[in-house]
Amino acid sequence: MRLRRRDVLAGAVAMAAVPSFASPMPVLRAAAGTAQLAPPEYDPTPIWGYDAAVPGPEIRLAQGARLTRRLLNELPQPTSVHWHGIRIENAMDGVVGMTQEAVPPGGSFDYDFALPDAGTYWYHPHHRTWEQMARGLYGPLIVEEAQPPEVDEELVLMLDDWRFAADATLHDSFGAPHDWAHAGRIGNWVTVNGRPDWQHRVAQGARLRLRLINCANARIFPLALSGMRAHVVALDGQPVERPYAVSEVTLAPAQRCDLIVDVTAAAGGTARITERDREGELALADFPVEGVARSADLEPPAALPPNALPEIGALDGAQVAQMRMQGGAMGGMLSAELNGTRQDMRALAGQGAFWALEGVAMLAEAPFLRAALGETVRIALRNDTAWPHAMHLHGHHFRRVDSGTPGPWRDTLLLDRRESAEIAFVADNPGKWLFHCHMLEHAAGGMVTWIEVG
Ligand code: C2O
Ligand code: CU
């Protein structure tokens, strides 16, 4: 049986419908709204969202196209938009205080940049991110391959957790020092695409492309897949060289995983994505199976066409920087440099600085390293803390290189407590780029640095 080609036109039509009232650009509003995140017996939760929704509108464009959006800030506090994972031009990276000024309430900012890589990306603020993302500001950014794989259906799943008060309003513990020094703002309620009970009907034997995105502040999602045969075809937007079969996937904050899955559950049954950890199991996404799409198994999926990333090449002779990750509760950090002076832990904590990278808390005046344009850079990370961290590099993708063959391209790497990993990348994108933990309270609490390229 032949597969139906996915309807790419649907995305194009939705795009054209974005209102552009008196503006040369399509508009993306950051605004307060409400969302039915909790079951229907609760009132809708007041949120902040792009176009006042959770998730924000899906932005879907062809590889090589330009993304243009005028951000209108209708929030009561300044904001910006960061386009996570895009190998973007520096001025469009959205990092307040580094690549742009914060957009004040009532203000606007025009984003206009090329999309070099196909894949699954997302957008979120880069100012008070720990608060603004926890309130619901994020949306999917899908860059389509010229020749997408043939599937029956493609679905984007944005996973998030929320910290609710008893009435399903957002708990007002934003910025609580305990969260900053420990695991971050972990929620007590989980949604997929802003819904408590997300589900989607499928047919037995159907082939789906699932684009999973972890939008949580700090939650790591250990996922188990049942009733489906799944292959990983891309990580953090970038195709893997050889798709591989999985029954479990772990998504750290900000990480993405593209799966091609064939529904194996029989009609009348349910395929399911479950969060499975020490505390138990939670069904996140249900795929009730109705009818039969095909009865014969399909061939395992082929690799997606690779993006033109600069290959790392020889590591010998490349600059190597050591980066110890330090601090946090039970981390034993005694002191670190903050604002150019060495300070003890008590003084640091008083200023909200609980974490450090190679002895420096928060952004220093000077970059952690400088790279010449096109130079290969190695960073040897060592997690000297009692917590896992999800380290994210802006403007580039990297490979893990400390275990024989280089790992897949990623923009966010999960390091377990006490784990070491070496990453390498070609610094081919000029500008000032952040490197930080994507557990947002950790980043705000000091686990952030920057590199300068060119
Ligand atoms: Cu997803 Cu520095 O960001
Ligand atoms: Cu962290």
Side-chain angles (χ1 to χ4, degrees):
M1 184 191 220
R2 270 188 58 78
L3 290 173
R4 246 180 312 125
R5 167 91 13 145
R6 209 156 25 78
D7 185 3
V8 287
L9 285 177
V13 169
M15 289 266 319
V18 171
S20 54
F21 174 71
S23 152
M25 280 195 175
V27 162
L28 185 65
R29 290 187 312 124
T34 59
Q36 193 64 51
L37 305 173
E41 52 272 29
Y42 291 87
D43 286 339
T45 302
I47 54 94
W48 292 355
Y50 291 109
D51 294 356
V54 177
E58 178 177 295
I59 300 178
R60 184 177 280 266
L61 289 162
Q63 182 172 17
R66 287 190 84 78
L67 192 165
T68 57
R69 282 294 182 282
R70 171 164 294 175
L71 169 69
L72 293 185
N73 183 8
E74 297 174 7
L75 302 172
Q77 59 177 235
T79 193
S80 72
V81 183
H82 169 60
W83 311 90
H84 184 115
I86 302 296
R87 297 189 300 132
I88 200 170
E89 65 192 85
N90 196 233
M92 296 288 116
D93 200 35
V95 178
V96 167
M98 178 149 288
T99 68
Q100 70 167 88
E101 300 283 301
V103 181
S108 72
F109 189 93
D110 291 350
Y111 292 96
D112 180 353
F113 53 91
L115 297 164
D117 300 328
T120 301
Y121 305 96
W122 61 302
Y123 59 96
H124 64 72
H126 222 294
H127 180 70
R128 290 178 71 86
T129 321
W130 47 275
E131 175 181 0
Q132 296 188 2
M133 252 176 60
R135 289 188 185 275
L137 282 160
Y138 57 79
L141 168 52
I142 307 302
V143 184
E144 301 209 311
E145 299 91 4
Q147 302 280 322
E150 291 204 351
V151 293
D152 294 307
E153 225 177 338
E154 175 183 317
L155 299 164
V156 179
L157 279 71
M158 300 195 94
L159 281 43
D160 194 6
D161 69 345
W162 307 83
R163 188 179 292 177
F164 278 163
D167 59 354
T169 58
L170 298 183
H171 199 279
D172 63 7
S173 51
F174 298 102
H178 184 276
D179 291 334
W180 288 36
H182 291 75
R185 184 181 172 92
I186 303 288
N188 51 12
W189 188 253
V190 174
T191 59
V192 172
N193 296 341
R195 303 197 51 90
D197 55 353
W198 187 92
Q199 50 169 275
H200 188 84
R201 199 170 305 132
V202 296
Q204 181 183 344
R207 173 163 280 191
L208 317 171
R209 178 182 189 163
L210 303 181
R211 299 178 184 263
L212 308 180
I213 309 175
N214 182 349
C215 307
N217 275 40
R219 187 188 202 84
I220 299 167
F221 282 97
L223 303 174
L225 314 166
S226 61
M228 56 182 94
R229 192 181 308 111
H231 285 83
V232 172
V233 292
L235 293 168
D236 294 354
Q238 302 297 346
V240 299
E241 272 136 53
R242 229 170 270 113
Y244 54 93
V246 288
S247 58
E248 290 176 1
V249 174
T250 296
L251 275 191
Q255 287 186 327
R256 287 88 67 212
C257 179
D258 283 39
L259 298 172
I260 290 189
V261 310
D262 297 330
V263 176
T264 54
T270 303
R272 180 168 282 163
I273 301 179
T274 308
E275 184 186 14
R276 185 182 289 163
D277 60 14
R278 273 174 297 147
E279 272 131 60
E281 297 210 345
L282 178 67
L284 295 184
D286 272 4
F287 302 85
V289 182
E290 259 179 41
V292 180
R294 65 182 61 74
S295 43
D297 285 356
L298 294 167
E299 291 291 313
L304 300 174
N307 293 310
L309 297 186
E311 200 40 80
I312 292 160
L315 293 175
D316 311 341
Q319 121 163 249
V320 194
Q322 307 293 326
M323 187 183 283
R324 281 167 299 162
M325 302 154 68
Q326 301 153 318
M330 298 164 290
M333 183 168 82
L334 299 176
S335 69
E337 192 183 308
L338 175 64
N339 302 324
T341 51
R342 184 147 288 277
Q343 308 191 28
D344 67 20
M345 195 60 211
R346 177 192 290 263
L348 293 170
Q351 298 161 84
F354 300 96
W355 306 89
L357 293 172
E358 199 56 29
V360 180
M362 311 284 187
L363 289 178
E365 202 62 40
F368 173 72
L369 63 82
R370 287 178 213 278
L373 198 61
E375 184 186 343
T376 295
V377 175
R378 302 163 62 178
I379 301 178
L381 294 155
R382 198 176 82 200
N383 182 359
D384 279 350
T385 78
W387 305 88
H389 301 284
M391 294 300 291
H392 169 51
L393 177 62
H394 283 219
H396 300 76
H397 277 68
F398 54 78
R399 289 183 188 273
R400 188 170 177 168
V401 292
D402 59 327
S403 52
T405 50
W409 292 109
R410 299 217 72 130
D411 60 41
T412 307
L413 179 71
L414 178 62
L415 277 110
D416 216 336
R417 47 188 77 86
R418 311 292 172 201
E419 187 180 356
S420 296
E422 184 177 315
I423 62 168
F425 60 97
V426 178
D428 69 336
N429 197 355
K432 298 176 171 183
W433 302 106
L434 286 189
F435 186 48
H436 64 87
C437 181
H438 218 287
M439 281 132 177
L440 301 172
E441 291 72 21
H442 295 175
M447 196 170 263
V448 55
T449 189
W450 64 289
I451 67 168
E452 185 154 36
V453 178

